[in-house]
Amino acid sequence: MRCTIGAMFSHPDLLLALGAGYTALSLLTFLVYAYDKAAARAGRRRVPERQLLVLGLLGGWPGGWLAQQLLRHKSAKPTFLWRFWISVGLHLMALGLGWRWLAG
């Protein structure tokens, strides 16, 4: 049976779960960026960049982007930024492929 986009929108549980997942991961990612910024200022042990990128790749990239803008953290480091945007692109591609697969 083929699932259409309209049929997917008729399943609010799926959209609610997706929205809740993005919100939770974005909040977590924002908080981890904030922790890392505070650690950097205090000279404490930092969060590895790889962990920040993985959080973004899993769906927390909106929170990571927001933290970069509001906290000015990791926003001036070109090597981190290009890896961040590649992880965003990979995440969006996977999301698009999953959406297409669900649509049939």
Side-chain angles (χ1 to χ4, degrees), residues 29 54 69 83:
T29 303
V54 167
Q69 304 309 305
R83 288 184 287 169

Side-chain angles (χ1 to χ4, degrees), residues 26-74:
S26 289
L27 179 59
L28 174 65
T29 303
F30 185 92
L31 292 173
V32 172
Y33 270 72
Y35 173 84
D36 188 48
K37 175 82 174 191
R41 285 185 172 166
R44 295 189 318 256
R45 186 172 178 172
R46 305 281 304 276
V47 176
E49 286 185 354
R50 182 181 200 136
Q51 288 181 5
L52 297 174
L53 294 169
V54 167
L55 284 170
L57 184 62
L58 293 174
W61 66 267
W65 177 82
L66 192 61
Q68 290 173 19
Q69 304 309 305
L70 296 178
L71 305 176
R72 305 304 303 160
H73 189 52
K74 299 290 187 185

Side-chain angles (χ1 to χ4, degrees), residues 6-22 99 102:
M8 286 175 23
F9 282 115
S10 69
H11 298 289
D13 292 342
L14 175 64
L15 294 176
L16 185 61
L18 192 59
Y22 272 100
W99 193 267
L102 285 173

